[in-house]
Amino acid sequence: AQSVTQLGSHVSVSEGALVLLRCNYSSSVPPYLFWYVQYPNQGLQLLLKYTSAATLVKGINGFEAEFKKSETSFHLTKPSAHMSDAAEYFCAVRGFDYKLSFGAGTTVTVRA
Amino acid sequence: NAGVTQTPKFQVLKTGQSMTLQCAQDMNHEYMSWYRQDPGMGLRLIHYSVGAGITDQGEVPNGYNVSRSTTEDFPLRLLSAAPSQTSVYFCASSLGRTGPNQPQHFGDGTRLSIL
């Protein structure tokens, strides 16, 4: 069975600073990895996905993630935070059984 | 396209009552699933379906039933509501034929309170 662990339930950054959200996965097969964002009182929106085509994946809103097999990690970054990036972010992994397993989530606050 | 539509958006129930949360998608997706979201626990899979007539249990299925009579609809039934089922419920769908690399599309959620 596959699972993900998100390190840090809350991250606070200054506007313009680097955003780094950590995700480590556990999977017995090559994983399909996803990052989703949830704005208050809304559903989840796909930020990006890793499907083995490239280790550096670019997503929407300036986010990107790097797949590192040796570290079993899929960390999410954005070079310069914007106030609109305040949200909750979820890392998720999906196996061949199609089940999607989520991390506990990381809430990002952006300070002016 | 409407995507994934969930109704109702809010609901308050009394302990012991039953109700059905509706989910419909118009993208002809084979795979549909229900999650519950609780603070600090992420989203947990309740039930899922890989196509019409096929359903299976997820991580937290107790107290919930599902059926999939059409490709479009995947209702979630609470048989006898309990306070522990107070949560936000999300329905999601994705293509199935092209593999598990397809992302899931989520509805806006149903906020359910059990008194």
Side-chain angles (χ1 to χ4, degrees), chain B residues 19-87:
Chain B
M19 80 160 295
T20 299
L21 279 62
Q22 302 291 343
C23 175
Q25 53 90 10
D26 61 359
M27 298 172 282
N28 201 29
H29 286 169
E30 299 93 342
Y31 187 91
M32 296 187 73
S33 53
W34 276 102
Y35 299 86
R36 59 177 291 172
Q37 182 179 24
D38 302 293
M41 304 187 74
L43 281 76
R44 292 180 292 169
L45 182 65
I46 304 171
H47 285 285
Y48 66 100
S49 169
V50 298
I54 306 170
T55 63
D56 206 346
Q57 296 180 350
E59 181 184 356
V60 288
N62 292 341
Y64 307 95
N65 272 357
V66 292
S67 59
R68 184 93 179 270
S69 57
T70 67
T71 299
E72 294 78 19
D73 300 299
F74 190 45
L76 178 72
R77 297 182 185 84
L78 278 70
L79 308 174
S80 178
S84 61
Q85 293 178 305
T86 294
S87 187

Side-chain angles (χ1 to χ4, degrees), chain A residues 31-101:
Chain A
Y32 297 103
L33 294 160
F34 304 84
W35 275 100
Y36 286 87
V37 60
Q38 184 181 32
Y39 299 103
N41 299 315
Q42 294 187 23
L44 277 71
Q45 178 183 358
L46 180 71
L47 272 178
L48 49 82
K49 66 177 183 179
Y50 168 74
T51 57
S52 77
T55 57
L56 185 62
V57 182
K58 294 188 182 299
I60 63 171
N61 301 340
F63 284 93
E64 62 182 34
E66 186 173 10
F67 174 75
K68 292 187 176 180
K69 185 176 180 179
S70 60
E71 298 178 7
T72 60
S73 68
F74 191 56
H75 301 332
L76 181 71
T77 60
K78 182 174 180 178
S80 178
H82 190 271
M83 298 299 289
S84 60
D85 295 326
E88 189 163 18
Y89 294 80
F90 293 95
C91 182
V93 62
R94 199 176 193 190
F96 290 114
D97 60 2
Y98 288 80
K99 295 180 183 178
L100 194 61
S101 297

Side-chain angles (χ1 to χ4, degrees), chain A residues 13-32:
Chain A
V13 299
S14 298
E15 193 172 19
L18 171 71
V19 179
L20 170 61
L21 305 182
R22 301 178 187 274
C23 173
N24 288 89
Y25 70 90
S26 172
S27 177
S28 58
V29 297
Y32 297 103

